Amino acid sequence: MTNIIETKFGTLVNTSKIAAGSASSIKKTGAFYNFSIRVAQDDIREYSFTDLARAEYMRRVMIGHLEEKIKIESKA
């Protein structure tokens, strides 16, 4: 239950679901595995890896970082 926070408007949100929803699924394009993550409304970052395991790991790491960013921004 630590992932649920209250926003400035008083609604309760699950930060892990918001962060996971901001990341696309991993797709294979040629020799690369690609995914993108929306950091802000106008900031979309794309990542490419040659190994599927590395792409899955980095996607989980980036979702975790985005989750922490959401928590910090909600406190401010």
Side-chain angles (χ1 to χ4, degrees):
M1 294 301 260
T2 60
N3 292 339
I4 297 176
I5 60 171
E6 187 172 353
T7 62
K8 296 175 187 176
F9 303 110
T11 57
L12 299 175
V13 294
N14 188 341
T15 57
S16 62
K17 287 189 178 186
I18 291 173
S22 296
S24 69
S25 59
I26 298 172
K27 296 179 183 168
K28 183 169 179 158
T29 306
F32 297 99
Y33 295 93
N34 304 320
F35 72 91
S36 62
I37 190 161
R38 181 181 298 268
V39 179
Q41 187 173 1
D42 59 344
D43 186 9
I44 301 172
R45 301 182 185 184
E46 297 180 3
Y47 297 94
S48 297
F49 298 93
T50 56
D51 185 17
L52 178 61
R54 187 173 296 162
E56 289 172 341
Y57 174 74
M58 284 307 297
R59 184 176 180 272
R60 285 194 307 268
V61 168
M62 295 306 293
I63 288 173
H65 288 309
L66 184 59
E67 185 177 347
E68 290 301 315
K69 178 181 180 274
I70 293 169
K71 287 179 185 178
I72 291 170
E73 287 178 352
S74 70
K75 292 178 182 177

